[in-house]
Amino acid sequence: MPLSFRRAGEPDLPELVRLRDDAARWQIAHGIDQWKPGELGVGHFRKRLDEGEVWLASLGADGPLAGAWELWWDDPAAWGPQAPDAGYVHRLMTDRRVAPPGTGRRMLARAEARIAEAGHAFCRLDCLADNARLREYYEAAGYGTVRERAKDGGLGHVYRVTLLEKRL
């Protein structure tokens, strides 16, 4: 079944929280110490709707939610001051109960297309420096490592991230 993409709105906030919490539980079950259930609520996603873009992928136009991601137009916490030449993908997440194989890569391609449509030359993202599996996933999608650095995630802890980018 084809994926349909649309911008998220206020009515989607509870589903975004559920999707993020489900992804956090999956990470914990697979020994990945990154996201925690309950860490981000409706307020976080409402702020992202106000300050950037949040996108949804569903199975068909009216089908179940298969995944989501946040698209930011700057990310000084991770990247420091940058020219306005990039979009920044955050919280690329799939619903593993319904998302067909390849959903994450298709969502990433849609995010890249949106960034290019906005006239930007790069798609940038970051992942935990010690999450080799995720870094390899992004590298296989054409992303190159720019550098590693400490990042204050705003949730009470500082951690090391790998910054990756792809020229569009």
Side-chain angles (χ1 to χ4, degrees), residues 24 46 80 93 99 110 113 118 128 134 152:
R46 182 175 291 120
M93 50 193 171
R110 180 63 192 109
L128 284 178
L134 186 56
D152 180 351

Side-chain angles (χ1 to χ4, degrees), residues 12 15-16 18-19 55-59 63-68 95 98-99:
D12 300 306
E15 275 295 284
L16 288 164
R18 180 202 57 82
L19 185 63
W55 286 84
L56 304 175
S58 59
L59 299 180
L65 183 63
D95 187 331
V98 299

Side-chain angles (χ1 to χ4, degrees), residues 51-126:
E51 295 180 0
E53 299 178 8
V54 180
W55 286 84
L56 304 175
S58 59
L59 299 180
D62 297 316
L65 183 63
W69 72 92
E70 296 175 11
L71 180 55
W72 302 7
W73 298 111
D74 67 350
D75 186 4
W79 288 82
Q82 296 288 320
D85 61 354
Y88 300 81
V89 173
H90 286 274
R91 276 171 273 290
L92 184 73
M93 50 193 171
T94 59
D95 187 331
R96 294 180 180 276
R97 296 170 303 166
V98 299
T103 296
R105 187 68 62 89
R106 290 169 60 196
M107 291 188 318
L108 191 55
R110 180 63 192 109
E112 293 163 0
R114 171 67 185 112
I115 293 165
E117 290 164 7
H120 298 291
F122 296 96
C123 182
R124 294 185 178 134
L125 46 82
D126 65 79

